[in-house]
Amino acid sequence: MDAANETTKLIARDPVDNLPIIDYLGPATADLMPANIRLVGKAVAFAQREYERFKVDTNSRSIADKYERFLKYVDARQVPNGIVPPLAET
């Protein structure tokens, strides 16, 4: 396996704004970084808590927006579009 060619498979278009990104939860990740999937549930729970905390404060709206984008990315990378199994509501 040529590492450079394999890692280019991680580049994708962001499902939210269509900009190029490293697609940490995309289909290629299952082979290259299988441990990522174990962290998704914890990351989503944290992001949801922080999003709820920051969205009510108008001075922190840009922080809330970043958490919201992350949550949309994870949602867009659920199977079959990525490696995230359906997430339970937390």
Side-chain angles (χ1 to χ4, degrees), residues 68-87:
E68 184 177 34
R69 285 175 49 83
F70 169 75
L71 293 168
K72 286 180 180 179
Y73 166 72
V74 171
D75 186 56
R77 286 302 178 242
Q78 291 188 14
V79 174
N81 298 319
I83 62 170
V84 180
L87 298 170

Side-chain angles (χ1 to χ4, degrees), residues 13-80:
R13 292 283 174 180
D14 186 311
V16 178
D17 61 16
N18 206 35
L19 293 173
I21 60 167
I22 303 284
D23 194 7
Y24 295 105
L25 301 175
T29 308
D31 295 330
L32 295 174
M33 296 182 285
N36 278 6
I37 195 63
R38 293 190 309 242
L39 302 174
V40 173
K42 290 181 181 181
V44 166
F46 175 81
Q48 285 175 330
R49 285 191 308 270
E50 295 301 293
Y51 172 71
E52 293 300 324
R53 183 168 72 103
F54 285 115
K55 78 176 184 179
V56 295
D57 181 1
T58 56
N59 293 326
S60 300
R61 188 61 205 167
S62 65
I63 297 171
D65 290 345
K66 290 176 184 178
Y67 283 113
E68 184 177 34
R69 285 175 49 83
F70 169 75
L71 293 168
K72 286 180 180 179
Y73 166 72
V74 171
D75 186 56
R77 286 302 178 242
Q78 291 188 14
V79 174

